[in-house]
Structures are given as C-alpha cells and as structure tokens.
Amino acid sequence: MGRLGIETRSSLSMHLSEYGPLPATPRRHGSEPGSLVDEVETAGLRGRGGGWFPTSRKLRAVVESSAGRGRLNRSRHPVVIANGMEGEPASSKDAGLLASSAHLVFDGISAAAATVGATNAFLAIHRDSPVIPTLLKALDERHAARLDPLAIHLVTPPARYVASEESALSHWVGEGVATPVYPDRPFQKGAAGRPTLVQNVETLAHLGLIARHGGAWFAELGAPSAPGSTLVTVGGAVRDAGVVEVPTGTPVRQILELCGGATEPVRGYLTGGYGGGWVAADGFDTTAWDPESMRTAGAVIGASVLWLIGESTCPIDEMARVAAWMAGESAGQCGPCVYGLPSLSDDVHQLATRHADAADMARLERRLSLVSNRGGCKHPDGTARFVSTGLAAFADEVALHLDRRCSVTARGQGPAAMPVPPARLALVDVSGRDFE
Ligand SMILES: Cc1cc2nc3c(=O)[nH]c(=O)nc-3n(C[C@H](O)[C@H](O)[C@H](O)COP(=O)(O)O)c2cc1C
Ligand code: SF4
C-alpha cells in the first residue's frame, strides 16, 4: 500500500487503525509558527497543486504576514483553505484521494491550522463533485469524536478552471466571488483580507503524515530535490487509466508499467495537465517524475498528469478542442485572457481544420509571446505553454496540416480524446461568510 492509502475507502475507525491518532500539533506562539514547520522543512515537502512550492515557506509567510499586523488588528487571524477543486479536467488524483483518505486530508488541515494559528478552516471542492457526501460523512465522524480543535467547513465554489486558482478561492471564501484577485497574494491578503494559507489537498495529506512520523521519515522516500511520494493521474492511450502513487523520481516507464502499458505506439505526452506542457515521445519514458528532471526534459510536472497521445489520435485536433475550452474559462478581467486567448484558440482551430498557412503560423507565434506574464494570474501563461509546446512536440503533424493533410484522418480518429467539460456556470455567487 502507498503512503496515502488511495486503494481503500476509509471510515474514521479504519483511518485510526491504519495511521494512529494525529498527535497534538504544536500551536503557533506569537510571531513563531508551531514547530511542525521545522519538520515540514526537514521533509522538503513541496506543494502538489501544480507549482511544487516549498510548503514550509508558505506556512512561515502566513505567520509573518499575520504577526506584522499587531494584536489589535481584527483581520490578523489566518485562514486555511484546502484546495480540493481539481480544476484540471485530465486530473483525478484529488478526487481519488478525498474519496479514499478524507481523514488524512482533514488531519493535515487541522495540523496546518494549529501551526499558523488559523481561526477559520475550509475545504473547497467544486459543487458538482460526487465526493461531497463522503466528505460530509467524514466531517460528521470527526465532529462526533471531537477530533479537530477548530471547525472545518466545506465550501463549494463553481467548477470553473480559474475558480481554483488560490486568490480566486480566497476571494470566494471571503466574498463569494470566485475570480482571481491581484496583485496581493493570499498569504498577504486573502479571504476577508486575512493572511490565507491555500494548500492542495494532497499536500495536506502529506502534512498529516509528517505530523505523525516527522520530516526525516518523509524524506526517506523519493527524489532529494522534492522528496516523498506523489499521486499521478495517467490517462489517454494506456491500458489501465487511473491514479497511482509513486515515489517522486520514479521513471515514466515504471509509472506506465503500473498502468498496464500503452495500448498503441505513443507519439507524445501531455504532462502536468492543460496548464502544463507537451513532450514528444522520443526517449521521454526514461525521465524521472520530479519537478527538476521534468523541467530538464522540457516537460512540466504541474498537477502530476501524464496523458498519452497514441498514433491513432490527431494531437492538433486535441490541442484545438482544449485551447477553445481554456479560452472560454478565463475570468474575463485581463487583456491577455479577453483578447489573447480567443485569438490563440482561433489560430489553432484554423490549423486543425487545415486552413492555416505560414503567415498564420507566424501570427500565432507572435500572439503566443504576447499573452505570457501579462495576466493577473497564470491562466494565460498555462494556455500559451499548452499551445507552444504542442506545436514543438508535434512539428511533423503541424507541417502536414499546413500542407492540408493529417496523418490520422485517413485512418480514422482514435478513441483517446482528452476530456473537455461543457461550458460552465458564472463565477459570481455572492453569499458571504462569517469570520471569527
Ligand atoms: C488557473 C489555475 C487553476 C488552478 N487550479 C488548481 C486546482 O484545481 N487545485 C490546486 O490544488 N491548485 C490549483 N492551482 C494552483 C493554486 O493556485 C495554488 O498554487 C495551490 O492550490 C497551492 O497549493 P500547494 O502549494 O499545496 O500546491 C491553480 C492555479 C491556476 C493558475
Ligand atoms: S489572467 Fe485571465 S483568468 Fe487570470 S485573472 Fe486575468 S482574466 Fe482572470
């Protein structure tokens, strides 16, 4: 069994017999976080929500921001938000984790809240998620057993891609509006103006284990630059698509073996999710699954998605469908999203339908360079990377399309189409929250 227990669905009693009780977490004292932060630093835990940012630095930043406000400032109390939204359509690791090991995630929320001295804690999950009943039941069990020193509330923002970006989540929890906010970051000014710790649910589950076994135990496994285990969602042209837990640093080939191998010759992989990047198949299966090795290989570990495009699928068609969806998911408040992404999407559509020429491609390249680093959040950057890495990884197919041909259409399109959700509801739903 892996560390995170994704193979079984655990009630509270099963959870306690498997992991034992969560030891009392040392609480924050004044301007010092609880000592769990030192264990997290020793562990080298990095966030599993996409950015792989060191968790100990975030914990300290929230405490520093809160301590800097002085005792009489009512808005100094930190807030913890567990990000279980899983906005990446190709990812299912967080839903799998919450369905099987909700109590480990709640343990992590409790431990993080004590460490930063939070007075409010939330788990955010999108409102259509089938996991909600499981989470409500788990919260009831914990309430009856008086496990958590502070109440943990479930919040259900709309299932929009950018609603799960950390400032959008904080905005939702504070004001009931799920749009990203900038330039302040949540650790400075998040939900209701409070210093806010937003962590992915998998990160928090690892925190629940570090609180029990310590940082040195955690770091025994995995790549030294990003230790521990990690969940990976494997999909596309693979025999047993699903979620696996592996030590970081596991070669891609071994991850694929755990999933029964590819169902057909692979031409490329999408790594990290729709905000990640494409790589050509050549030699990629020896790459280690950790942030640095992936970067060196020109890939992105991101939300830990590994999606295989087999030879029976046209990658340009897939890119066009996903790019159109990504363009429709912006919060509509910054230039690169409002003007840039629809144009990018149109260009890729033109290429996919074999109506593009060299001048169109030159315009597309110019547009790609214009949208990056200019939005209030990283949504335009992720979309631009999705398109630019795809054009590079599938350069042969691009050339064929410019020549009005496609290597797949003649043989008939294969089954491994990437998931593209339907257009979704509005981001705004002002409901307000009470803050203690
Ligand atoms: C457009 C966009 C969507 C995101 N969606 C998610 C998501 O669904 N789940 C998640 O954990 N992080 C998501 N993130 C990353 C969060 O902003 C944030 O970095 C993360 O929740 C922090 O947790 P971690 O440090 O534990 O990784 C998204 C970021 C962007 C720019
Ligand atoms: S870059 Fe796009 S998604 Fe991000 S805040 Fe601006 S409009 Fe919203």
Side-chain angles (χ1 to χ4, degrees):
M1 187 174 126
R3 285 179 168 183
L4 297 174
I6 57 166
E7 301 83 3
T8 46
R9 291 185 169 236
S10 292
S11 63
L12 182 56
S13 57
M14 288 162 73
H15 168 73
L16 291 175
S17 74
E18 178 64 38
Y19 294 103
L22 180 72
T25 309
R27 297 190 63 79
R28 167 187 166 180
H29 279 294
S31 60
E32 289 299 317
S35 56
L36 180 60
V37 74
D38 298 328
E39 294 298 326
V40 175
E41 196 165 355
T42 304
L45 176 63
R46 291 168 62 172
R48 305 298 202 251
W52 291 73
F53 188 80
T55 305
S56 60
R57 278 167 54 188
K58 254 183 163 172
L59 292 164
R60 287 189 205 284
V62 168
V63 172
E64 275 163 25
S65 168
S66 147
R69 295 180 188 207
R71 291 188 61 77
L72 295 178
N73 188 334
R74 274 180 56 80
S75 68
R76 74 184 193 282
H77 298 300
V79 174
V80 170
I81 304 177
N83 192 345
M85 294 284 284
E86 196 151 53
E88 279 290 348
S91 174
S92 53
K93 74 174 183 79
D94 292 340
L97 175 69
L98 288 169
S100 57
S101 304
H103 286 294
L104 202 52
V105 175
F106 287 127
D107 286 348
I109 297 174
S110 247
T115 302
V116 301
T119 49
N120 292 83
F122 302 89
L123 191 156
I125 180 141
H126 77 69
R127 59 182 58 164
D128 310 324
S129 169
V131 184
I132 290 172
T134 306
L135 297 177
L136 289 172
K137 184 164 174 265
L139 280 175
D140 280 350
E141 286 177 316
R142 297 178 78 87
H143 186 68
R146 297 174 182 272
L147 275 193
D148 300 306
L150 88 174
I152 302 172
H153 297 284
L154 217 57
V155 287
T156 56
R160 291 289 302 261
Y161 190 68
V162 296
S164 46
E165 187 273 338
E166 60 183 2
S167 70
L169 264 194
S170 306
H171 200 189
W172 168 266
V173 168
E175 280 87 33
V177 182
T179 51
V181 178
Y182 42 86
D184 291 323
R185 299 318 301 156
F187 77 87
Q188 301 164 312
K189 198 172 167 194
R194 309 278 184 91
T196 300
L197 179 78
V198 182
Q199 299 281 185
N200 173 260
V201 286
E202 184 190 337
T203 314
L204 289 162
H206 289 301
L207 196 71
L209 293 175
I210 293 169
R212 287 176 165 87
H213 306 296
W217 167 86
F218 183 83
E220 278 167 11
L221 193 70
S225 60
S229 65
T230 183
L231 299 176
V232 188
T233 311
V234 187
V238 66
R239 215 165 300 280
D240 301 318
V243 178
V244 291
E245 182 182 357
V246 295
T248 56
T250 300
V252 166
R253 186 189 297 141
Q254 266 180 39
I255 297 175
L256 293 178
E257 279 166 13
L258 289 173
C259 299
T263 50
E264 57 178 313
V266 178
R267 58 196 310 186
Y269 300 88
L270 178 68
T271 61
Y274 295 172
W278 293 96
V279 278
D282 305 335
F284 180 65
D285 63 354
T286 58
T287 304
W289 197 257
D290 63 73
E292 270 69 39
S293 307
M294 292 283 278
R295 193 176 309 127
T296 305
V300 183
I301 192 165
S304 203
V305 169
L306 178 64
W307 191 275
L308 286 67
I309 288 282
E311 64 176 8
S312 65
T313 300
C314 173
I316 314 292
D317 275 358
E318 296 299 295
M319 280 165 57
R321 289 190 317 109
V322 172
W325 180 78
M326 295 283 271
E329 287 294 301
S330 99
Q333 51 187 9
C334 308
C337 264
V338 174
Y339 306 110
L341 299 191
S343 312
L344 278 187
S345 160
D346 286 350
D347 289 343
V348 182
H349 176 76
Q350 209 176 354
L351 179 66
T353 53
R354 289 168 268 163
H355 290 103
D357 58 24
D360 295 324
M361 294 307 288
R363 189 188 53 202
L364 171 54
E365 293 292 348
R366 269 198 314 280
R367 283 177 166 162
L368 281 168
S369 65
L370 284 176
V371 298
S372 294
N373 280 323
R374 297 207 171 148
C377 78
K378 294 290 179 197
H379 178 53
D381 305 54
T383 310
R385 186 172 51 223
F386 177 87
V387 173
S388 61
T389 53
L391 296 177
F394 304 113
D396 292 354
E397 197 64 52
V398 171
L400 276 182
H401 279 65
L402 289 174
D403 197 29
R404 310 282 184 261
R405 291 184 290 149
C406 170
S407 69
V408 173
T409 311
R411 293 200 300 268
Q413 182 78 1
M418 310 186 78
V420 174
R424 288 167 170 167
L425 300 172
L427 284 171
V428 180
D429 178 358
V430 180
S431 48
R433 320 247 161 238
D434 292 333
F435 281 81
E436 289 144 22

